[in-house]
Amino acid sequence: MVGGICYRAYEQEKFAEIAFCAVQASQQVKGYGSVVMNLLKEQGLREGIEYFITYADNYAVGYFKKLGFTKGITMPRGRYLGLIKDYDGGTMMECYLHKSIPYTSTTAMVKKQHDFVMGEIIKRAKSHIVYEPDPVFGGSSGVDGDKVGDGDKSTASGAMIKGVREAGWTEADIGGKGGMAKPVKLSVELTNIVKKVKSEAWSWPYHAPVNPLEAPSYYNVIKKPIDLQTIEQRIRKGGHYQNNKQLRDDLQLMGDNCKQFNPYVEGGENGYWETAVALHRWIGEHEFM
């Protein structure tokens, strides 16, 4: 036995409650959880089920999200009210079953779509063009033969590499002696920091803005909301962050907001508070120069 799922179907209401879902610890992170869930979805379609509903603990929310479950419940409340059991400390999640999706063949379906898209890209791309290196590289002339000063040689020389200008790069993109332009370099550094935070198991509450339908009073209490999705948008847009410390401040604020809205209660369980503690600990263990 590698893993399994127990569910309770309500045929008249056309939904089922997932009561138990587990995979052996030694067999996790191997894709078995996805296989079992997709088999369940196929079985659900055969039984005429339209929705699956479950209560996920804090460490299972990410798993269910990857498999198509959402925190926003779209199924009419009257269909499940009084039928499913409420669990303290769990997050109610839902998955709508699309009759047109072959859940046990999604990998092959996505691969076909991927191959088609890549084929169309290759028809239009120039990445297959390989330029021969110049036998002699350098000199004091600019891109079009203009004379340049010593401070501009690195930029000009970089732009003289065959294929650089053809790819759309300019001297400003190359950024002179530093190699990569400062804004581009900072964007890469900040993006890598955010990716590291998102890879942590405790980061799940911070991946997207808080849904006001799930926490109606949140934006009345929290005056400076921030989340990883918003941070990523700011990085891509450029101009908001001038250094790593400003990103650190936003990450610190993210944890502070979580603690403010989910205060610590002596003797009680508070998964959100614990994630904020983990986030602040992570910030303290990493340097933001």
Side-chain angles (χ1 to χ4, degrees):
M1 174 69 73
V2 174
I5 298 178
C6 295
Y7 70 100
R8 182 186 297 109
Y10 298 91
E11 297 180 1
Q12 185 174 350
E13 289 76 16
K14 294 185 178 181
F15 86 91
E17 176 190 9
I18 296 177
F20 180 78
C21 174
V23 175
Q24 271 191 11
S26 61
Q27 301 297 327
Q28 291 179 0
V29 199
K30 294 182 179 180
Y32 292 124
S34 299
V35 171
V36 173
M37 184 61 71
N38 286 331
L39 288 170
L40 175 63
K41 290 178 181 178
E42 290 282 7
Q43 179 63 28
L45 288 175
R46 286 192 290 270
E47 295 181 14
I49 291 173
E50 294 180 348
Y51 295 90
F52 275 115
I53 283 186
T54 190
Y55 271 90
D57 63 34
N58 292 338
Y59 294 101
V61 169
Y63 163 76
F64 282 105
K65 285 181 68 175
K66 289 179 181 178
L67 294 174
F69 284 74
T70 62
K71 295 180 182 179
I73 308 300
T74 60
M75 185 174 70
R77 192 164 181 265
R79 287 172 64 173
Y80 64 83
L81 187 64
L83 297 177
I84 66 174
K85 181 179 179 181
D86 292 329
Y87 294 90
D88 293 334
T91 300
M92 191 176 182
M93 302 187 74
E94 166 198 283
C95 179
Y96 176 75
L97 299 185
H98 294 267
K99 295 180 180 179
S100 60
I101 297 179
Y103 288 102
T104 54
S105 305
T106 51
T107 301
M109 180 178 66
V110 171
K111 184 179 186 303
K112 288 181 179 179
Q113 294 173 340
H114 172 270
D115 292 344
F116 173 79
V117 172
M118 291 304 298
E120 294 300 309
I121 291 175
I122 290 173
K123 291 178 183 178
R124 297 163 174 78
K126 299 180 180 179
S127 58
H128 61 285
I129 301 175
V130 179
Y131 294 88
E132 293 294 328
D134 288 325
V136 178
F137 180 71
S140 59
S141 294
V143 175
D144 296 312
D146 298 329
K147 296 295 182 179
V148 296
D150 290 341
D152 299 323
K153 285 182 180 179
S154 177
T155 302
S157 298
M160 290 170 64
I161 299 174
K162 289 183 178 180
V164 170
R165 296 191 70 188
E166 289 80 356
W169 286 73
T170 66
E171 288 87 338
D173 296 323
I174 298 169
K177 289 184 178 181
M180 186 183 293
K182 185 176 179 180
V184 177
K185 182 178 180 181
L186 177 62
S187 176
V188 172
E189 291 177 356
L190 299 182
T191 299
N192 287 336
I193 292 173
V194 174
K195 285 182 178 178
K196 290 179 181 178
V197 175
K198 292 179 71 174
S199 69
E200 297 290 342
W202 43 258
S203 69
W204 57 269
Y206 310 109
H207 286 195
V210 172
N211 187 340
L213 296 178
E214 298 175 6
S217 63
Y218 185 83
Y219 293 98
N220 293 328
V221 176
I222 303 302
K223 302 305 181 183
K224 293 182 178 180
I226 189 66
D227 58 90
L228 295 175
Q229 180 177 306
T230 300
I231 290 174
E232 288 177 318
Q233 291 172 347
R234 290 177 175 178
I235 294 173
R236 285 195 298 269
K237 186 177 180 180
H240 184 87
Y241 297 109
Q242 304 302 316
N243 52 59
N244 290 359
K245 185 180 180 300
Q246 291 178 329
L247 173 60
R248 180 192 186 281
D249 293 341
D250 268 355
L251 293 176
Q252 182 71 32
L253 175 62
M254 202 163 63
D256 292 342
N257 287 346
C258 184
K259 286 185 175 181
Q260 181 181 349
F261 192 73
N262 304 279
Y264 176 76
V265 178
E266 186 69 31
E269 293 186 5
N270 190 332
Y272 288 97
W273 175 277
E274 293 172 1
T275 66
V277 172
L279 171 59
H280 286 160
R281 185 186 304 116
W282 189 93
I283 294 172
E285 293 172 351
H286 293 75
E287 294 184 2
F288 291 81
M289 302 302 291

